[in-house]
Structure formats: structure tokens, C-alpha cells
Amino acid sequence: MQRYIFLGLCLLITASKLKAQEAKAIVFLQKAKKAYQNKKLGETQKYLDSALQTDNTYAKAYARRGLLKYELSEMDHALNDYGKAIALVERQARKDYLFLAKLYYRRGATYHQKLLNKKALKDFNKALKFNPRYTQAYVARGVLRENKNNLKGALKDYSKAISIDTSFAMAYYNRGLAYYNLDKTTKALRDWTKALSINKKYVDVYLARAFAYQAREDYTMALQDYEQAIKHNIYSAEAYLNRGIVYQQLGKKNEACADWKQSIKVGGVEAQKYLDKYCK
């Protein structure tokens, strides 16, 4: 009888120690989040390492460190941390499926950065299995499909994301690109206009729509969009380059040459050939 009482006491002491470790690890994670918000990445790393040294089964700390490593372009380390987090959550009796979906999505994004797109696609599929309403995962999978020239598959994914979240500007932007590549310019323009109604500072959308107008020789509309792109990003070499081309088409040599010079100034290289050809 005494042996059973002693065993019970040992189990209680062990459980108490585990709870204390877990509580301490949670404190370290909270400190890491605060350091990250203050853009102190070194401190963020230190607190996350401390959290995992305290409790090496803390999946959320692995997930947060994986995200940090991704942002630091340390992709192999990010993959390692996401893998550990996934394994821990998968082993839980009561799985947090939304958290698991996020982990697969983030690991898929990391694989994509390493150009391991088969593994990325597998993880995006897993993410959508655990959370069928994960709009970012639909868009990410759509991008992979589009890159493999599966435009219809990409359209299906972008449209699914939009059906779940009608205010998802990126989904409209990407679907517009797919439509444009399928020579469905009217639908593309409609999607890009919708994206801009959601986010008036979406520079990539202004550039895409301006290029489409430019291809149609609707130079007035193209100029308006290039001007908006520059307004929201004064360092857009592409916007200066293409606005210069429009000016050149309109016979406005001085404006064209000025834009091409500015494109080079902000880091563009393609504008040099236009300067050499038209601005001597």
C-alpha cells in the first residue's frame, strides 16, 4: 500500500514539474512575441530557444521559431522547426486541426522558396484537408498550378478562395493574372478593379492593369495606373520603365527619357536600352 502511495506522490510531483516547465516556456514565448513586435530579432531568437530548452515538446514555440527562420531566409532551419511542430501536433490525442493546417501551409511555403514544389503542393493539400476554408492555401496552391501552366486548376483555386472570402484582394489579383494569360482580358480587368476596390494601395495590381491597358493601346488608362503605382511606391522601377514606354508611344520624348532615367536610378536595368535607343 505504501508503495502505491509513494508512486502516486511521484506522479503528482512529476506532473507538477511538467506544468511548471510548460508555464515557464509560455512566458518565454510571450517575451519572444513582444521582442518580435519591437523588431528585436536577436532577442526573439533567444527567447524562443529558451522556451524550447525549457520544454522541447512545445509545438507553438517550434512554429514561431520556424516563422522567424523563414523570415531570416534560413529555410533549412525553418523546415526543421516546422517538421518538429507538425510531428508533435500529429501525436496529440486531440489534434488542433486549424493549427496543424497552418503548420503545413507554412512548411509548404518554405518548400516553395526552396523550389521543392512537389513537397510544397503536398503540404498545401494537407493544409486544405485539415482546414477546407484556408484561403491562403488555395491561393498558394493556385500559384503552383499556374507555374505548371495548369491555368484552369489555378482558376479553380483562386475562385474557391474568393467564394470563401470575397474581400481577399490577392485572390482577385492572381485570378486576374490567370484570366489574362488565358486571353480573357475583360475578366482580368474586372478582377483587378475589384482587387483595387478592396486595397487602393495594391501596386502589383496597378502594374498588371496598366500593362493590360497598354497592350490595348489605351494609353490614358495605362498612364493613370502607372501614376498610381508610382504614388504608392516611388521605387517601382517597372512603373517608371513602362510609363516611359507609354510616353514614347505618345511622342513625349522628354517625359519618356526622364522616366527611364528614374527607373535606372531606383534599381532598374532594362531601361538602359531605351535610353540608348531614344534619348541620345
Side-chain angles (χ1 to χ4, degrees):
M1 184 68 177
Q2 287 180 338
R3 280 187 298 177
Y4 290 122
I5 293 172
F6 177 72
L7 178 60
L9 286 172
C10 287
L11 290 172
L12 285 172
I13 292 169
T14 301
S16 178
K17 284 182 178 179
L18 289 173
K19 285 184 179 180
Q21 286 178 336
E22 182 181 354
K24 192 174 180 181
I26 290 171
V27 170
F28 280 126
L29 180 60
Q30 294 303 319
K31 288 182 177 180
K33 289 179 179 179
K34 187 174 181 180
Y36 180 80
Q37 289 172 354
N38 294 326
K39 299 181 179 179
K40 297 179 179 178
L41 301 186
E43 283 190 21
T44 304
Q45 170 85 55
K46 182 185 72 173
Y47 287 130
L48 290 172
D49 289 346
S50 296
L52 289 166
Q53 287 166 6
T54 303
D55 181 1
N56 65 1
T57 66
Y58 194 10
K60 288 184 178 179
Y62 281 116
R64 176 65 63 163
R65 194 171 69 178
L67 181 60
L68 177 65
K69 293 298 185 181
Y70 178 91
E71 294 183 0
L72 292 172
S73 297
E74 298 177 18
M75 299 304 170
D76 288 333
H77 291 297
L79 287 173
N80 185 54
D81 278 342
Y82 286 138
K84 287 180 178 177
I86 287 168
L88 287 166
V89 179
E90 289 274 22
R91 285 201 297 266
Q92 293 173 357
R94 297 181 62 183
K95 297 179 179 61
D96 184 342
Y97 290 114
L98 293 182
F99 182 40
L100 198 53
K102 185 179 290 187
L103 289 171
Y104 275 113
Y105 168 73
R106 289 181 177 174
R107 191 175 71 173
T110 309
Y111 279 132
H112 180 52
Q113 288 296 317
K114 288 176 65 64
L115 303 179
L116 299 171
N117 289 333
K118 286 186 178 179
K119 289 185 176 181
L121 180 59
K122 186 177 179 180
D123 272 0
F124 292 147
N125 287 336
K126 280 270 194 178
L128 290 166
K129 175 186 174 183
F130 290 117
N131 181 7
R133 296 184 61 80
Y134 202 155
T135 54
Q136 291 95 330
Y138 282 114
V139 170
R141 191 173 69 178
V143 170
L144 290 183
R145 286 176 167 175
E146 194 167 356
N147 288 344
K148 295 198 75 173
N149 208 33
N150 180 6
L151 295 176
K152 290 184 178 180
L155 280 174
K156 186 177 179 181
D157 275 342
Y158 300 145
S159 295
K160 181 65 176 179
I162 289 167
S163 72
I164 295 167
D165 181 2
T166 57
S167 64
F168 194 3
M170 183 184 289
Y172 286 106
Y173 166 62
N174 281 50
R175 191 172 71 173
L177 291 175
Y179 277 136
Y180 190 75
N181 288 326
L182 286 167
D183 294 323
K184 297 181 179 181
T185 304
T186 300
K187 288 185 175 182
L189 290 171
R190 188 184 304 136
D191 270 356
W192 292 332
T193 299
K194 179 64 177 178
L196 289 169
S197 73
I198 298 166
N199 180 2
K200 291 181 171 58
K201 297 181 180 180
Y202 205 150
V203 173
D204 286 341
V205 181
Y206 283 117
L207 291 172
R209 194 172 69 171
F211 186 81
Y213 283 135
Q214 185 177 343
R216 284 183 162 189
E217 298 185 0
D218 188 346
Y219 296 135
T220 300
M221 295 299 292
L223 282 175
Q224 288 180 13
D225 277 350
Y226 286 134
E227 286 164 7
Q228 286 297 312
I230 290 167
K231 175 184 176 182
H232 297 298
N233 180 12
I234 60 173
Y235 300 104
S236 176
E238 184 180 351
Y240 289 115
L241 169 69
N242 287 325
R243 191 174 69 171
I245 293 171
V246 172
Y247 279 137
Q248 191 273 329
Q249 290 290 328
L250 292 171
K252 297 183 177 182
K253 179 179 177 180
N254 291 338
E255 290 88 340
C257 293
D259 266 358
W260 293 329
K261 287 176 183 177
Q262 187 63 22
S263 181
I264 292 170
K265 186 176 179 180
V266 296
V269 294
E270 193 176 348
Q272 187 61 54
K273 66 182 181 183
Y274 292 97
L275 280 172
D276 293 340
K277 185 173 181 179
Y278 296 108
C279 301
K280 288 185 177 179

